[in-house]
Amino acid sequence: MEIFQENVNGVEIFSVKGSLDSNTSPEFESRIYTTLENGQKRLVLNLENLEYISSAGIRVMLKTTKDLKRMDGNIVLCSLQDYVKEVFDIAGFDGYLSIEKNLDDALLKF
Amino acid sequence: MGKVKLSITLKNRLADLDKIKTAVLKLSGAIDCTRRKLKEIDLILEELFANVVHHGFKDNREHDIDISLSCDDGILEIRMEDDGEPFDITASPAPDTRCALDKRGIGGLGIHFVKHFIDDCKYYRKKNKNIIVLKKNMAEKPHKKNGSK
């Protein structure tokens, strides 16, 4: 897994490449929470290059979504590959999360 | 497609997940299936394995988890054996995926994924071992959400 991070107009964009599984998700969680601790509450997860996700990766996203809601922040996901989208649907996450087709649409949510 | 059989033994530590990834890669070289199917197999194996590692053992000792994959005539059989606490996957309740976000937990999600992506599931408890036997049809089905495809 690789994570590329950039800030565009006050929105922190995480582009995740590869696999979010039981071994890689702790690093992903740590990167997100370092950002939240630095006061950033507006996040985009660009999943264009995320090829695989398991419940370990889903757990991090559920936790982040809940925490940001409490903090009056916001998280938007975008550019999900078919497999990743189906895993989110099976998890029932399509009802909780804001999911956009591409990065431009995701940034318009802020 | 000829008969293919692969067996691996893992220890109850998440680092051994890499052995599953390697086995799935080997399988991809031996059978004719799509990358999508391989991701589903990867997910099934990871969730089964992670579930045993996280919840299967009350002691701090090392345990073996045996996984075998065999594919014959387009049907993949996954067999997993462990000597952990009894866990009947077929009796595990589905998580409430439609409750409010505040009440939503993550428990049971991995097993929910396993059940979604397999076609048959059997559980036995023999000689203090959990034995799970799953079957998955490797033929590509039309996508549920896009019936027109």
Side-chain angles (χ1 to χ4, degrees), chain A residues 22 51 54-55 66 86 96, chain B residues 35-36 46-47 99 104:
Chain A
S22 301
E51 304 216 344
S54 68
S55 64
K66 282 182 171 182
E86 187 175 348
Y96 303 130
Chain B
R35 284 185 67 194
R36 166 61 192 243
E46 174 181 341
E47 300 296 359
C99 66
R104 182 66 200 272

Side-chain angles (χ1 to χ4, degrees), chain B residues 34-107:
Chain B
T34 59
R35 284 185 67 194
R36 166 61 192 243
K37 285 279 174 189
L38 289 172
K39 286 181 194 178
E40 293 174 9
I41 297 165
D42 218 335
L43 183 72
I44 293 165
L45 295 175
E46 174 181 341
E47 300 296 359
L48 287 174
F49 172 66
N51 192 62
V52 179
V53 172
H54 288 309
H55 309 293
F57 305 102
K58 286 186 175 164
D59 58 37
N60 290 319
R61 291 188 2 248
E62 210 171 65
H63 295 263
D64 284 345
I65 299 163
D66 296 312
I67 296 177
S68 71
L69 307 171
S70 58
C71 194
D72 192 14
D73 205 19
I75 303 290
L76 176 74
E77 185 181 282
I78 297 169
R79 184 185 171 95
M80 187 174 90
E81 285 190 30
D82 65 79
D83 64 349
E85 296 292 311
F87 175 68
D88 181 355
I89 183 173
T90 62
S92 154
D96 181 0
T97 56
R98 295 288 155 201
C99 66
L101 175 62
D102 298 347
K103 292 183 179 145
R104 182 66 200 272
I106 200 70

Side-chain angles (χ1 to χ4, degrees), chain B:
Chain B
M1 196 190 300
K3 189 161 184 170
V4 176
K5 188 158 170 117
L6 259 174
S7 297
I8 49 173
T9 298
L10 314 171
K11 298 292 180 194
N12 53 325
R13 54 184 179 225
L14 282 181
D16 274 15
L17 185 62
D18 287 347
K19 291 184 184 171
I20 289 180
K21 309 279 170 187
T22 306
V24 173
L25 210 59
K26 267 190 197 168
L27 189 74
S28 72
I31 63 171
D32 180 22
C33 76
T34 59
R35 284 185 67 194
R36 166 61 192 243
K37 285 279 174 189
L38 289 172
K39 286 181 194 178
E40 293 174 9
I41 297 165
D42 218 335
L43 183 72
I44 293 165
L45 295 175
E46 174 181 341
E47 300 296 359
L48 287 174
F49 172 66
N51 192 62
V52 179
V53 172
H54 288 309
H55 309 293
F57 305 102
K58 286 186 175 164
D59 58 37
N60 290 319
R61 291 188 2 248
E62 210 171 65
H63 295 263
D64 284 345
I65 299 163
D66 296 312
I67 296 177
S68 71
L69 307 171
S70 58
C71 194
D72 192 14
D73 205 19
I75 303 290
L76 176 74
E77 185 181 282
I78 297 169
R79 184 185 171 95
M80 187 174 90
E81 285 190 30
D82 65 79
D83 64 349
E85 296 292 311
F87 175 68
D88 181 355
I89 183 173
T90 62
S92 154
D96 181 0
T97 56
R98 295 288 155 201
C99 66
L101 175 62
D102 298 347
K103 292 183 179 145
R104 182 66 200 272
I106 200 70
L109 198 53
I111 296 303
H112 182 57
F113 288 156
V114 172
K115 288 180 174 173
H116 179 88
F117 284 116
I118 48 121
D119 298 296
D120 186 56
C121 176
K122 291 198 168 58
Y123 170 80
Y124 311 93
R125 180 82 183 170
K126 275 186 192 165
K127 294 181 183 169
N128 291 325
K129 281 198 166 188
N130 294 304
I131 302 170
I132 297 169
V133 182
L134 309 176
K135 288 199 168 117
K136 180 170 177 63
N137 191 338
M138 298 301 284
E140 204 62 49
K141 282 182 251 181
H143 199 282
K144 283 178 190 166
K145 293 255 184 311
N146 300 303
S148 58
K149 267 190 180 176

Side-chain angles (χ1 to χ4, degrees), chain A residues 53-71:
Chain A
I53 190 165
S54 68
S55 64
I58 297 266
R59 189 191 65 80
V60 176
M61 291 184 196
L62 178 69
K63 185 166 176 268
T64 309
T65 303
K66 282 182 171 182
D67 287 343
L68 276 171
K69 195 179 172 197
R70 262 196 301 275
M71 295 159 67

Side-chain angles (χ1 to χ4, degrees), chain A:
Chain A
M1 178 199 60
E2 290 175 82
I3 302 168
F4 307 93
Q5 222 174 313
E6 62 175 328
N7 193 288
V8 174
N9 298 328
V11 178
E12 196 75 12
I13 303 170
F14 290 82
S15 301
V16 191
K17 187 178 177 185
S19 290
L20 268 179
D21 59 31
S22 301
N23 279 344
T24 57
S25 292
E27 188 198 335
F28 175 57
E29 183 171 10
S30 156
R31 288 282 288 269
I32 285 186
Y33 278 83
T34 301
T35 301
L36 297 190
E37 279 158 20
N38 288 336
Q40 181 55 256
K41 294 189 291 185
R42 306 196 307 164
L43 308 187
V44 166
L45 303 183
N46 180 358
L47 306 183
E48 185 182 357
N49 295 308
L50 182 69
E51 304 216 344
Y52 174 87
I53 190 165
S54 68
S55 64
I58 297 266
R59 189 191 65 80
V60 176
M61 291 184 196
L62 178 69
K63 185 166 176 268
T64 309
T65 303
K66 282 182 171 182
D67 287 343
L68 276 171
K69 195 179 172 197
R70 262 196 301 275
M71 295 159 67
D72 227 7
N74 195 12
I75 179 169
V76 180
L77 279 61
C78 69
S79 313
L80 278 61
Q81 294 188 14
D82 285 350
Y83 160 80
V84 175
K85 174 77 172 65
E86 187 175 348
V87 171
F88 273 94
D89 289 349
I90 302 163
F93 264 38
D94 42 331
Y96 303 130
L97 291 176
S98 176
I99 298 175
E100 296 297 328
K101 279 191 176 148
N102 55 51
L103 183 56
D104 288 344
D105 287 355
L107 289 170
L108 285 175
K109 290 284 174 183
F110 294 90

